[in-house]
Amino acid sequence: MTLFTAIAGRRAPAGLALDALTVAAASLLLTLSAKVTVPFFPVPLSMQTFVAIGLGLALGPVRGGAAVLFYLAQGAVGLPVFAGTPQQGLGLAYMVGPTGGYLAGFFVQAVVAGLFAQRGWDRQPLTAMVAALVAAATIYLTGLPWLGTVIGFDKPVIAYGLTPFVLGDVVKAMLAALIFPMAWKAIADKADR
């Protein structure tokens, strides 16, 4: 059970319309997160990874993954949904650039986080943090090889595409470890009333 199914199961009948609306709204949230950066050290925090992981934790692997795929499809057809768009380009031209592997990694993050959520890892702070950290790490499985392919493996790919972001990933995992257990507690408290 995910937060989505816990809430939607009590308030509305599950169905294709609800799923479609949820996926569309979640993709909009991902778009908004692409436009937000938080000052941080050594690089500003992008909130996209946090939202991708959060979508998985809240919606599960199928709905969370679908929301990210819908977001990527919007970007592929040229909508300015990605960070730095339209200034840095649009559509497929943007997606095949240095960040293309990280964009694909958002999907992996949402699915992995969703699988953890289905197993209840988002209900306690420690397991929620582990789930968020593991999901955060998966973006590098697609991001780093793609970055190396685009800029050349003779460049310091790890220094460009991993090292500056590790501390931010830990902070975002800590944030998930606070938010998701609190949300489950609020649902349980409401059910007890």
Side-chain angles (χ1 to χ4, degrees):
M1 178 181 289
T2 63
L3 283 168
F4 174 81
T5 54
I7 294 168
R10 286 202 291 242
R11 298 207 173 147
L16 189 57
L18 179 60
D19 287 342
L21 181 61
T22 300
V23 165
S27 75
L28 178 60
L29 183 60
L30 196 50
T31 298
L32 294 174
S33 73
K35 307 301 180 181
V36 174
T37 56
V38 177
F40 196 70
F41 176 83
V43 294
L45 290 179
S46 160
M47 296 312 291
Q48 286 175 284
T49 55
F50 177 74
V51 170
I53 293 166
L55 292 178
L57 291 174
L59 302 178
V62 174
R63 289 180 192 90
V68 174
L69 289 177
F70 186 53
Y71 165 76
L72 294 174
Q74 291 171 63
V77 299
L79 296 176
V81 297
F82 303 133
T85 59
Q87 303 87 342
Q88 296 175 11
L90 290 169
L92 292 175
Y94 180 91
M95 293 178 80
V96 298
T99 60
Y102 296 98
L103 293 172
F106 294 152
F107 172 75
V108 178
Q109 287 184 317
V111 170
V112 168
L115 291 171
F116 277 114
Q118 283 183 327
R119 288 160 180 77
W121 283 55
D122 59 334
R123 297 177 189 189
Q124 299 297 321
L126 181 59
T127 56
M129 184 162 176
V130 170
L133 282 172
V134 170
T138 63
I139 198 169
Y140 301 109
L141 299 175
T142 56
L144 291 172
W146 186 266
L147 179 63
T149 301
V150 171
I151 68 169
F153 286 101
D154 58 322
K155 307 281 190 312
V157 173
I158 300 294
Y160 291 164
L162 171 72
T163 309
F165 305 104
V166 171
L167 183 58
D169 288 342
V170 171
V171 169
K172 290 181 234 181
M174 290 169 59
L175 189 57
L178 292 173
I179 292 172
F180 287 91
M182 284 182 8
W184 276 108
K185 183 175 181 335
I187 289 171
D189 290 348
K190 197 166 202 175
D192 289 342
R193 289 185 203 159

